[in-house]
Amino acid sequence: MSILTDFAAAQFQQARTVIGGEDLTIDGGTAVSAILAEADNSREFNGGGFDRDQSLSAVVSIADWQAAYASADKAYLGKDAIARGRVWRVGAIRSGQAFVTVSLESPRKAK
């Protein structure tokens, strides 16, 4: 790891202690401690009317992610996830050098 990556990882650990980590579980797997953003609620207009949508982003340290979810990230896309006591669907996963950001979306959307 680079000095910058080491610094960011250390600050993430400190932020998780202050903010508080919350459990994120994907497809019944191991729970990882994530920092969760605020849930986003929106309404989009499509040809049939308004479609309500909800989303939530979760940031997990790369070490915690790889320990719990060793398969390729694409294996988890479309899987059910549990965060804040709700069922979500994994919409996207962005892996960096120090963190993984998991984008969760409304489970009503088609897989």
Side-chain angles (χ1 to χ4, degrees):
M1 288 191 166
S2 71
I3 295 172
L4 180 59
T5 303
D6 291 343
F7 174 76
Q11 295 310 305
F12 176 79
Q13 297 302 332
Q14 185 175 5
R16 188 169 53 185
T17 301
V18 173
I19 297 169
E22 298 181 61
D23 286 346
L24 169 66
T25 305
I26 298 174
D27 200 29
T30 303
V32 291
S33 180
I35 295 178
L36 301 178
E38 292 80 15
D40 179 45
N41 294 286
S42 63
R43 287 177 36 170
E44 246 179 70
F45 183 76
N46 62 27
F50 285 99
D51 184 22
R52 290 187 302 152
D53 187 32
Q54 297 174 321
S55 61
L56 178 68
S57 292
V59 179
V60 181
S61 77
I62 192 84
D64 291 350
W65 177 259
Q66 290 174 341
Y69 298 100
S71 297
D73 290 346
K74 66 182 179 180
Y76 304 106
L77 296 177
K79 301 289 183 182
D80 285 343
I82 298 178
R84 290 194 176 147
R86 288 194 47 204
V87 176
W88 302 85
R89 177 158 296 127
V90 177
I93 299 173
R94 291 180 298 283
S95 293
Q97 290 199 356
F99 313 105
V100 173
T101 302
V102 181
S103 297
L104 304 171
E105 57 190 27
S106 304
R108 293 185 302 275
K109 291 190 171 189
K111 288 186 178 182

